[in-house]
Amino acid sequence: MNLVQSPARACFGLAEATIDLAAVKANVRHYRRQVRSGTEIMAVVKANGFGHGAVQIARAAVEAGATWLGVARADEALELRAAGLTVPILAWLYDATELMWLSDVDVSVATVAELQQVVSAPGVHHVHLKLDTGLHRGGSTPDQWIELTRAAAHYEALGAVKVRGLWSHLSHGDELDATHSRRQLELLRAGVTLARRAGLEPSVVHLANSAGALTLDAPDCNLVRIGAGLYGIDELNNGLRPAMRLNTKVAQVRRIRAGEGVSYNHDYVTPTDTTIALVPLGYADGIPRSATNASVLIRGVRMPVRGRIAMDQFLVDTSDIPVEPGEPVVVFGPGDHGEPTAADWARWAGTIPHEIYTGLGSRVPRRYEEATR
Ligand SMILES: *Cc1c(COP(=O)(O)O)cnc(C)c1O
């Protein structure tokens, strides 16, 4: 194997996350082909684009046809605007004190009290009224919906607010079985009918996330909110491509005799004489301390992580392979060269790939490329 070639290429410095923007664009196009024609794509780039870099991912997604951006928080929306992104942005978590900064960011509204805060803030805000259809994590309760839509129609008639969207969020969006999702769609449809009756004319209605966009046929909706899928988190094995590779280098190598404990508290004791390589990444960088049976790729070979993962470093058993300091280590990647994937790390740590990606620490520089495929 040629060590200069992907994926076992050396990185600059101790470690580097490489993000393939061509994969992100391919994932966006994949969704554009899969959803009903006329359905718009909102690229969800909250939490620094799931750790990939919000601005770069947003630009790539827009280039590939996304027409909306979605974030959780106000400052995330402002970062995108400051970077020159001009498509509509929806933020669903903000504080009333931040509204003064959000005149060109759509905000979610779930109660009449929130609506009044938006109306009182300077500027005429675009809002998306959120209905709780079953997740029970924010949104208007169904019994307060009529009052909310009537109040919104009232303020809209006064020119104090513009209701651009009606929306909800799936509770079982990552499941192949769309039974729950269909029930939620029915509730949203009823909510849309009531809102129209109150006089609202929303231009977008949206419910589905990445997986839901593939499992739920929703003729009532004309926008899907795609987060995980952008980054290649492929909950339904739909042929999406992971965009991130995490590369580092062997920092140090040493022979250890049989019966020696390695790393904190000697949780692992070497059964035979062996070679141990030091990898300069740890849980402060997002390598989960709870991972068990983890491995990394060195010289095209999967080598097991041994002993406790520390804050800045962990150890790998290279057995009798004469690995040297400076050699490339692939912690995770798309998986097509034998390296583990973020989904593997998630399994080893008892979590989901989302948490692996968003946990990637700020000490790891992100580098962007467009791998031609
Ligand atoms: C994070 C989030 C999404 C994206 O969900 P994925 O499953 O990652 O596609 C969509 N909508 C809301 C409200 C979210 O918080």
Side-chain angles (χ1 to χ4, degrees):
M1 178 178 183
N2 182 353
L3 288 180
V4 179
Q5 271 181 1
S6 161
R9 94 184 76 198
C11 50
F12 184 80
L14 282 179
E16 167 176 283
T18 313
I19 290 112
D20 177 9
L21 295 174
V24 174
K25 291 179 192 176
N27 293 337
V28 172
R29 291 193 196 102
H30 183 87
Y31 274 97
R32 289 181 65 198
R33 285 192 301 272
Q34 301 267 324
V35 297
R36 272 176 179 265
S37 81
T39 303
E40 292 186 68
I41 307 265
M42 174 188 290
V44 177
V45 296
K46 62 189 179 188
N48 193 29
F50 286 44
H52 293 63
V55 169
Q56 289 85 351
I57 297 296
R59 285 192 186 127
V62 168
E63 212 174 292
T67 52
W68 280 80
L69 295 170
V71 293
R73 301 193 181 177
D75 56 331
E76 297 179 317
L78 295 176
E79 183 193 5
L80 299 172
R81 283 284 178 256
L85 285 146
T86 56
V87 300
I89 301 174
L90 173 63
W92 45 81
L93 282 174
Y94 56 92
D95 183 80
T97 56
E98 298 171 310
L99 281 167
M100 58 192 291
W101 308 109
L102 296 176
S103 52
D104 66 346
V105 174
D106 290 33
V107 292
S108 176
V109 164
T111 63
V112 172
E114 281 179 16
L115 181 66
Q116 282 164 346
Q117 288 172 338
V118 170
V119 166
S120 317
V124 178
H125 288 78
H126 287 120
V127 300
H128 297 224
L129 302 182
K130 184 176 187 186
L131 177 63
D132 181 5
T133 56
L135 179 60
H136 302 329
R137 190 192 77 178
S140 167
T141 58
D143 57 319
Q144 292 175 334
W145 181 249
I146 290 186
E147 190 193 351
L148 177 63
T149 55
R150 284 184 182 156
H154 166 75
Y155 287 121
E156 193 169 65
L158 295 176
V161 74
K162 170 81 192 110
V163 178
R164 180 134 66 162
L166 301 175
W167 74 299
S168 189
H169 192 38
L170 295 173
S171 56
H172 295 61
D174 59 348
E175 290 179 6
L176 259 179
D177 178 357
T179 311
H180 274 100
S181 302
R182 278 195 294 273
R183 176 77 192 123
Q184 289 188 265
L185 178 62
E186 281 168 27
L187 292 172
L188 180 60
R189 178 185 302 144
V192 171
T193 302
L194 290 172
R196 294 225 162 91
R197 215 170 276 164
L200 298 176
E201 293 170 353
S203 55
V204 289
V205 175
H206 48 111
L207 173 63
N209 65 330
S210 295
L214 302 173
T215 57
L216 182 67
D217 185 33
D220 311 75
C221 299
N222 57 1
L223 176 66
V224 289
R225 302 185 307 273
I226 308 300
L230 284 183
Y231 312 99
I233 298 173
D234 202 2
E235 291 155 315
L236 306 175
N237 284 322
N238 205 256
L240 299 168
R241 181 163 177 86
M244 185 190 287
R245 237 181 355 240
L246 180 57
N247 296 317
T248 180
K249 288 171 189 166
V250 172
Q252 210 183 321
V253 181
R254 67 176 42 171
R255 284 296 288 177
I256 304 251
R257 278 205 305 276
E260 295 285 342
V262 301
S263 194
Y264 288 132
N265 305 90
H266 288 181
D267 278 1
Y268 180 77
V269 176
T270 51
T272 55
D273 290 3
T274 192
T275 307
I276 294 286
L278 178 69
V279 177
L281 285 172
Y283 60 78
D285 304 298
I287 308 300
R289 186 173 176 277
S290 57
T292 50
N293 298 318
S295 59
V296 296
L297 195 77
I298 307 177
R299 289 204 186 183
V301 179
R302 281 286 194 101
M303 298 185 182
V305 174
R306 296 300 191 200
R308 287 203 188 157
I309 293 171
M311 190 181 291
D312 318 298
Q313 41 199 311
F314 64 86
L315 298 167
V316 170
D317 190 338
T318 74
S319 183
D320 290 325
I321 300 173
V323 165
E324 287 173 27
E327 281 198 48
V329 179
V330 187
V331 182
F332 61 74
D336 42 13
H337 289 76
E339 77 277 20
T341 60
D344 290 328
W345 276 96
R347 203 164 21 82
W348 295 330
T351 181
I352 53 176
H354 313 53
E355 191 175 348
I356 301 296
Y357 288 128
T358 56
L360 188 69
S362 56
R363 294 194 300 193
V364 180
R366 274 65 161 174
R367 190 165 62 76
Y368 296 88
E369 62 177 30
E370 297 239 7
T372 44
R373 289 188 296 125

